[in-house]
């Protein structure tokens, strides 16, 4: 088994989006900072309501999937079709924008901590214009696995493999075959996981630092940075002295051209121009 080593580190940049929500963007902070098929990773995390209260009022998407994972807080999602999703701590919303969705994502709390992630995953050309769809995954439907040293893993997508046991997550069968794990480790505990060899993979720690093992020794990855792994069969990560919490993502690359204009991600410039025309004419969603 060849260990995947830490190949590139993309520190998150502080930015704001929506109506002024403060967030930290690692993957997707520039077109060069994507990791096929991952387009963007935003971490939001603040105790100050002024940083999140304005939310993300009505906006469109076309051509990819958005995955929102709430660690703390309460967010209401509503779309133009009348779909409504209420995300609370630990819940996940897996939205396939397909040919189009127009939605809002608004904080439902007036005070206290708001913390979580939004990940954008690209769709293959053949699926970019499929009808929009949702999977709302309550925290109780996300299986957890205990690690021998006191850590734990939550399996959102794909299948966790530990000591010959498989723990499948609720999201399976997508064409990019994503794995999405939320891992908590006490200080000094290691976590090792095989990943499909052809998948691109990265890790993002929201708490603590980690050491990523490799053939040439361990390399430190600080919190709030996306650590992109080399090719290989498995990853081995050890928590630093404060313990760590991180998300581990892997998916099959699409190897297709990416043309992005804000919330539209297509394969050609013509398709982007079409998306803008469709949105302006009220035809984005079909
Ligand atoms: Mn959105």
């Amino acid at each position: 088994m060849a260990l995947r080593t830490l190949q590139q580190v993309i520190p998150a940049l502080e930015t704001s989006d929506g109506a002024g929500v403060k967030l930290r963007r690692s993957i997707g902070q520039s077109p060069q900072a994507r990791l096929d098929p991952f387009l963007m990773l935003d971490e939001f995390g603040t105790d100050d309501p002024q940083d999140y209260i304005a939310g993300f009022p009505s906006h469109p998407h076309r051509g990819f999937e958005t995955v929102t994972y709430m660690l703390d807080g309460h967010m209401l999602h509503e779309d133009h079709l009348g779909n409504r999703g209420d995300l609370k701590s630990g819940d996940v919303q897996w939205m396939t924008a397909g040919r189009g969705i127009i939605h809002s994502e608004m904080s439902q709390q007036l005070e206290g901590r708001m913390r979580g992630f939004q990940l954008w995953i690209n769709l293959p050309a053949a699926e970019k214009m499929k009808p929009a769809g949702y999977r709302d995954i309550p925290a109780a439907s996300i299986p957890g696995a205990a690690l021998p040293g006191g850590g734990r893993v939550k399996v959102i997508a794909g299948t966790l493999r530990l000591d010959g046991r498989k723990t499948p997550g609720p999201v399976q069968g997508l064409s990019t075959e994503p794995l999405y794990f939320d891992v908590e480790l006490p200080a000094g505990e290691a976590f090792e996981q095989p990943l499909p060899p052809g998948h691109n993979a990265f890790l993002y720690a929201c708490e603590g630092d980690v050491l990523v093992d490799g053939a040439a020794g361990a390399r430190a990855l600080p919190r709030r940075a996306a650590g992109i792994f080399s090719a290989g069969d498995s990853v081995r990560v050890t928590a630093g002295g404060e313990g760590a919490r991180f998300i581990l993502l892997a998916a099959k690359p699409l190897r297709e051209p990416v043309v992005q204009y804000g919330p539209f991600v297509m394969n050609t410039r013509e398709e982007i121009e079409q998306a803008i025309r469709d949105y302006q004419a009220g035809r984005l969603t079909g």
Side-chain angles (χ1 to χ4, degrees), residues 69-119:
Y69 180 27
M70 294 295 289
L71 301 182
D72 297 295
H74 183 181
M75 183 102 82
L76 181 68
H77 158 268
E78 290 178 291
D79 74 10
H80 70 292
L81 298 169
N83 293 309
R84 212 177 136 90
D86 200 8
L87 275 103
K88 300 197 178 69
S89 296
D91 294 347
V92 171
Q93 182 203 57
W94 199 290
M95 183 183 88
T96 304
R99 69 162 291 140
I101 202 81
I102 300 168
H103 74 164
S104 62
E105 298 159 285
M106 302 299 288
S107 168
Q108 295 303 294
Q109 61 188 70
L110 300 175
E111 56 185 24
R113 189 173 221 204
M114 173 73 92
R115 192 163 71 125
F117 294 102
Q118 189 168 84
L119 176 73

Side-chain angles (χ1 to χ4, degrees), residues 6-56:
L6 186 58
Q7 189 175 52
Q8 187 189 355
V9 176
I10 303 173
L13 295 178
E14 293 198 12
T15 182
S16 70
D17 209 336
V21 178
K22 285 197 183 161
L23 42 82
R24 297 179 187 88
R25 183 164 297 163
S26 49
I27 299 293
Q29 60 186 233
S30 72
Q32 295 72 38
R34 294 184 190 122
L35 181 68
D36 184 15
F38 299 109
L39 298 164
M40 194 186 84
L41 177 70
D42 285 346
E43 179 198 11
F44 45 97
T46 173
D47 296 323
D48 181 355
Q50 293 311 315
D51 292 344
Y52 60 72
I53 211 76
F56 298 85

Side-chain angles (χ1 to χ4, degrees), residues 214-245:
R219 197 175 152 195
L221 177 66
R223 74 190 287 224
R224 299 203 160 126
I228 295 176
F229 291 105
S230 69
D233 302 304
S234 65
V235 293
R236 190 164 61 219
V237 177
T238 305
E242 298 170 13
R245 182 173 188 178

